[in-house]
Structure formats: structure tokens, C-alpha cells
Amino acid sequence: MKADPARMVVRTIMLCHFIAAFAALGMPPFFALILDQSLHSDAAYLAGWLYVVPTFFTALSSPWWGKLADRFGKKPLLLRAQLGLAGSFLLAGFAPNTWVFFIALLLQGLLGGTFSASNAYLATVASGAALTRSLTLMQWSARAALVIAPTGLGLLMMSVQSPLQLYRYLAVLPLCAALFIWLLPERRAPATAKTPEQATRKPAEATPGQIYALQFAFVFATVVTFPYFVPFIRPEGGSVSPALAGLLFGLPHVMYLLCAMPLSRYLGRSALVATLALSCLVLAASLAGQALTSSLPAVAAGRVVMGLGMTAAFIALHALIAGLVNSGNAGRTFGWFESSSKWGAVCAGVTAGGAVQAYDVRAPFFIGALVLFVAACYLAGLTFHRHRPAILANRRNHANQ
């Protein structure tokens, strides 16, 4: 049986994104170790600042790279992103001091952006429900890298003299990804009329601005709990081991890996705004529940529910953005989509630090729950407004009978 070319492209892009994300997501947890052992800096507080540098500059650069992708082609800009990662990793691997390491991370954010570039290329081979599934797979690869990379790189660090040296070897990964992408076909937006699928596509349930704002709120509300989860689960004198704390931290991501593809068979096809509203309510309840309990099993249950809500929310957001995208505007659309995500993460980190300093380690959970509850209320209003003409028409029909 002949292989489906579109499916092979999706698998290749997913693999390339995973091997690039493996280094980009796996190294930040070891920044404090790099500062101490490789750069000989005793400024441990810099680890937190360096953590957000790539995210900040990705948020700035993604819309710009997206516009260039729409103009010059998705494949060249995807190659550019992988090669940009390789160059920034090499510079980080040979950094003699903290300033050069900072510049390397800056370039990683400025020249990277593989997630939006990969999604833009996928929009040239898939659309509608197929594109939604492809975006779910891309998020799957990112979550898999987030779960696997810290453990894998932690083991590799035992075999090198300096933790910073790992960046030199990891630069090979995006270079390999660039080679695979170079072998893929070039695809450009057609200059002809709309395809039958595009012509019969249903009106989008939300505007681009609404989707970007919802993506920002969703990422902010979930990421705001990340920086201080371990201190939350392991208070001073607590009996929870670091390994168990790490397992509980990663549990929502593991739930996504387990449930994303099965749930995508049922979700993401209709009632997307309502699905996202319900997901936000589930997430809000899980965050508030974790903050209000002191029982470890209850926290674990809250993390499982959080993972399920996060999975459903991702699928709904992917379907909403897929409803706006075509091969001609994919770069710009996904550029802003990733930018809103990165800005949400940056603002979450800053907010979490301020909230914990002003209150305690439970504050980020309540803040996240509040933001998600407000988002759910807004989405409920959006759903009602969308269906209001049909509701009024039904009332008139009943009144005339």
C-alpha cells in the first residue's frame, strides 16, 4: 500500500519539532547548575531571569517571522528556525561568561520559533479537521519533550565535564531536523480559487483577536502555577520527596500524552466555544481544589483533572485556529498565536513571583482559577450571543403556534 504523502509530512514535522524542543525545553531546568559549574557565577537569581529570555524574544519575533513565511514560503522559514536554534545552541555551548550565554538565549528566542513555523507548514498540507489533528500531534510532541527531556539530559550531564558542553552536542539535533525538512516538498499558497472544503467551511466561531486573547488567558492561568509548584507541594519540613513532587508536576502533561489523540476523535468538531468554556471551568475548579486541599491524593486527583481540562482546551483552541487558517495566511496567524502564548507565559512568571512574595505559594493557583473562571464566563456569553438569533426565532415560532 502506498504511503499517504500528507501523513508522512505530518510525521516528519512532528519528529523534527520534538528533537528541536528536546534541547530547548530540557536545558532550562539546569540553568542554575550551568551558572555555578560552567560559568562560575554565584548569582543564582539569574537562573529565573535567563529562563524567560527565549520566551520573551519568541513572543516579540513570532509575528514578524510569520509574515515573512506567508511572503517567501513556509519551508524556507521553517529551515531558518531550525538553523537559528542550532546556531544559538552552539554559541551557548562555547559561552565563556554569563553575558555571552544571555546573548545565546536571546538568539534562541529571536531566531527560533519552530512551533509556529512548523504549524504554518502543516497548514499547506492539511486543513479543517485534519489540521486540528495535526496541531494536536504537534502539541503532543512538545509535551513529550517537556516530560522526557529533563530526565534524559539529567542523565547525560553525568557524563560531561561541564553542563554547558551539552549545548554543543544538542546543536546537532536541529541540524538533523533541518536536513529532514530540506528533503520535504516546497508548498505555496495556490493562486486559484478556493478549494471545495474552503468554500463550504462553516463561519468561524471566534475572531482572530478573541482566539489570541483566549490563548493568552489559558497559557497564563496554567503556567502561573508552574514556578512554585514544588515549594507548594513540598513546604519546609514536608515529607514529599523531590521525585514525587516532579511526578505530580508532570502529571497534567502525562494526561495530555495519554488522552489527546483519543479525545480528539470526539472533540474539536463542533461547539468549540462551548467546549473551551467547559474546559476553562474544569481547569478553574482543579486549580482552586489543589490550593484548598492539604491531602496528597487530592492534589494528585486535581492534577489528573487539570490534565483532562488542559487537553480538551488545547483541542478546542486548535480547532478554532484551524478554522481561520489557510495556506496563504498560516504564517501570520500561527505567528500571532504563538506570540500570545509566549506573552502569557512571560506574564505568568512575573505574576507568580509577585503573588508568592505578597501572599504565599497558593496565590498563583487562585489567580489562575480566577482568570479561567472569567474566561469561561466570557465564552458562555459568546456562545449565547452566537445562538441568540436561533433562540429568538424558536420563541417566535412557539408564540405563533
Side-chain angles (χ1 to χ4, degrees):
M1 183 180 293
K2 190 175 180 180
D4 183 359
R7 183 173 296 180
M8 290 301 298
V9 168
V10 172
R11 290 175 178 175
T12 302
I13 295 297
M14 179 181 169
L15 173 64
C16 291
H17 179 257
F18 172 81
I19 62 179
F22 185 87
L25 298 176
M27 289 300 288
F30 302 101
F31 280 174
L33 194 63
I34 289 173
L35 286 169
D36 180 40
Q37 296 186 10
S38 300
L39 301 177
H40 309 294
S41 171
D42 58 357
Y45 66 90
L46 288 177
W49 294 6
L50 293 173
Y51 199 98
V52 301
V53 168
T55 304
F56 177 80
F57 283 96
T58 300
L60 287 177
S61 63
S62 288
W64 185 61
W65 288 123
K67 290 180 182 179
L68 292 179
D70 289 337
R71 182 175 180 182
F72 296 107
K74 277 61 174 184
K75 179 179 173 180
L77 271 294
L78 179 52
L79 278 171
R80 184 272 322 153
Q82 295 286 2
L83 294 174
L85 276 185
S88 64
F89 289 168
L90 277 176
L91 180 60
F94 289 98
N97 54 55
T98 304
W99 279 109
V100 176
F101 186 61
F102 170 83
I103 293 172
L105 295 177
L106 182 154
L107 292 175
Q108 177 185 324
L110 198 62
L111 301 179
T114 56
F115 189 71
S116 61
S118 299
N119 288 340
Y121 186 88
L122 287 176
T124 65
V125 298
S127 61
L131 180 57
T132 300
R133 288 193 297 272
S134 298
L135 297 179
T136 301
L137 281 171
M138 285 295 295
Q139 192 63 238
W140 195 97
S141 73
R143 299 288 150 181
L146 188 63
V147 171
I148 296 171
T151 302
L153 292 177
L155 293 174
L156 288 174
M157 283 191 181
M158 299 171 62
S159 60
V160 296
Q161 294 181 346
S162 168
L164 201 62
Q165 289 180 357
L166 273 184
Y167 269 112
R168 305 176 193 177
Y169 307 123
L170 291 173
V172 177
L173 296 180
L175 286 176
C176 292
L179 176 61
F180 294 146
I181 292 164
W182 180 69
L183 296 173
L184 292 175
E186 174 64 71
R187 295 175 180 268
R188 291 183 176 273
T192 57
K194 293 182 178 180
T195 64
E197 182 178 356
Q198 291 172 332
T200 58
R201 180 183 292 178
K202 295 180 181 179
E205 292 191 32
T207 66
Q210 289 171 330
I211 295 173
Y212 302 148
L214 290 167
Q215 169 81 339
F216 174 92
F218 168 67
V219 171
F220 173 90
T222 50
V223 173
V224 74
T225 66
F226 289 178
Y228 296 96
F229 178 78
V230 173
F232 163 75
I233 202 68
R234 294 187 71 232
E236 294 185 14
S239 59
V240 178
S241 68
L244 181 55
L247 175 63
L248 289 172
F249 174 82
L251 196 53
H253 308 299
V254 173
M255 292 303 300
Y256 184 91
L257 296 178
L258 293 175
C259 301
M261 297 316 298
L263 286 179
S264 66
R265 298 173 186 171
Y266 308 101
L267 303 178
R269 299 178 181 274
S270 61
L272 304 179
V273 171
T275 300
L276 187 56
L278 182 60
S279 301
C280 288
L281 282 177
V282 170
L283 278 167
S286 69
L287 292 179
Q290 291 175 64
L292 291 171
T293 185
S294 58
S295 166
L296 199 60
V299 171
R303 301 299 283 177
V304 170
V305 173
M306 180 180 176
L308 292 173
M310 186 176 72
T311 302
F314 267 127
I315 293 172
L317 282 168
H318 294 159
L320 285 170
I321 201 70
L324 299 176
V325 168
N326 57 59
S327 57
N329 69 2
R332 181 172 62 256
T333 304
F334 282 118
W336 280 109
F337 192 63
E338 182 171 18
S339 180
S340 63
S341 173
K342 299 303 184 185
W343 281 122
V346 170
C347 293
V350 174
T351 302
V356 168
Q357 186 175 8
Y359 299 100
D360 59 28
V361 291
R362 297 179 302 167
F365 288 87
F366 289 121
I367 292 172
L370 178 61
V371 169
L372 288 167
F373 179 75
V374 172
C377 291
Y378 173 77
L379 288 164
L382 198 62
T383 302
F384 176 78
H385 179 76
R386 178 180 173 82
H387 295 289
R388 186 179 180 185
I391 295 173
L392 293 177
N394 288 333
R395 288 179 178 175
R396 285 195 295 267
N397 289 337
H398 285 302
N400 292 333
Q401 291 177 354

